[in-house]
Amino acid sequence: MRLRYHVCTTPAAVEDIQSADVKQSEVTVRWVPPKNDHGAQVIGYQISILLDPKPNEPPQWYRLCECTKSKTPVYVVANLKGNTAYLLDIRAVNKVGAGDAHEFQITTAPVAPDPPSKPWVEEARDGCLNVAWYSPENDGGMPITAYRIKMRKILGASRWNSFGPGETAASWVEMGSVLAAGDASMYNAWVGPLEVGACEYRFQIQALNKLGESKASELSDPHYT
């Protein structure tokens, strides 16, 4: 009596993973199937992603797909955060199980920058104010090109009169822009002229890059004249 048997095991690693289409919230990845299926046809692919760790915890792998329905070597990783790097693990799957790992880093497309720091009044002189702020820690993946300055004023408001005009009397004025300067981390700009009478002034700053503008910074503390 002769016995025939067929030995198979999990596939070899996939090859040549590439980012085919990169957007702010999703990345399409393509790859080449493994050269060796180790005796059993590849039926799909297992996709995992390494998520940011929680405080005091190690990074955790999260299974995006146990086995793709299609054998086509392409997958769209969705629900991502812009201008962020992620580590993927892609494995070919046959009837025995998932094969050797192939890790690959993807990076989503740039986005608008984070807001600058809370501005402050550095100096008051000759009927003008010098407003200063720090650039944001995250430029969104593209260089910041300029900063937009907005001034909020409440005519008649005084530090010493709590019964004077309030928030409902506030008005906003665009005070122009300051061009970004290379690696500078702190900026300032003179704004004015100021009102002749009593007035409360507060400021907000927005950072701009080629993809858009940041949310407004926190309002500065009030400055009274």
Side-chain angles (χ1 to χ4, degrees):
M1 182 177 65
R2 293 184 178 181
L3 295 177
R4 289 187 176 183
Y5 60 91
H6 179 69
V7 177
C8 57
T9 185
T10 57
V14 303
E15 300 181 355
D16 195 27
I17 304 176
Q18 296 182 1
S19 296
D21 185 24
V22 177
K23 300 178 181 178
Q24 292 178 353
S25 61
E26 65 181 43
V27 176
T28 300
V29 290
R30 298 181 184 275
W31 60 91
V32 175
K35 290 182 178 179
N36 194 335
D37 62 13
H38 290 165
Q41 185 180 17
V42 171
I43 57 175
Y45 297 91
Q46 184 185 94
I47 317 292
S48 302
I49 189 170
L50 187 64
L51 296 181
D52 291 334
K54 296 180 181 179
N56 303 318
E57 291 185 10
Q60 297 288 328
W61 284 99
Y62 176 75
R63 191 69 47 79
L64 296 175
C65 183
E66 192 68 40
C67 183
T68 58
K69 296 180 180 179
S70 170
K71 293 189 289 184
T72 303
V74 60
Y75 190 83
V76 179
V77 187
N79 301 316
L80 303 177
K81 181 180 178 182
N83 189 42
T84 304
Y86 296 88
L87 190 63
L88 297 181
D89 176 16
I90 301 178
R91 307 178 186 224
V93 178
N94 62 14
K95 65 180 183 180
V96 181
D100 296 339
H102 187 158
E103 295 180 0
F104 179 73
Q105 181 174 290
I106 59 173
T107 303
T108 49
V111 294
D114 285 349
S117 73
K118 176 181 177 179
W120 67 94
V121 175
E122 184 81 7
E123 185 181 355
R125 175 160 38 98
D126 300 329
C128 296
L129 298 176
N130 185 256
V131 181
W133 64 92
Y134 289 110
S135 58
E137 294 184 1
N138 184 359
D139 63 7
M142 295 194 75
I144 293 173
T145 56
Y147 294 91
R148 181 178 296 143
I149 306 165
K150 295 177 69 178
M151 178 175 70
R152 196 193 77 168
K153 59 183 182 179
I154 304 178
L155 289 170
S158 168
R159 186 194 310 270
W160 316 114
N161 183 10
S162 58
F163 298 101
E167 300 286 331
T168 57
S171 61
W172 286 93
V173 183
E174 294 278 354
M175 301 305 295
S177 300
V178 173
L179 293 178
D183 295 330
S185 60
M186 179 179 168
Y187 291 83
N188 67 84
W190 285 97
V191 297
L194 304 181
E195 299 292 336
V196 176
C199 189
E200 177 195 286
Y201 299 92
R202 301 181 77 174
F203 297 90
Q204 277 186 332
I205 312 296
Q206 288 177 291
L208 289 75
N209 65 15
K210 289 184 177 180
L211 291 175
E213 59 187 35
S214 72
K215 294 181 180 179
S217 70
E218 184 181 350
L219 267 173
S220 68
D221 293 330
H223 179 89
Y224 294 95
T225 59

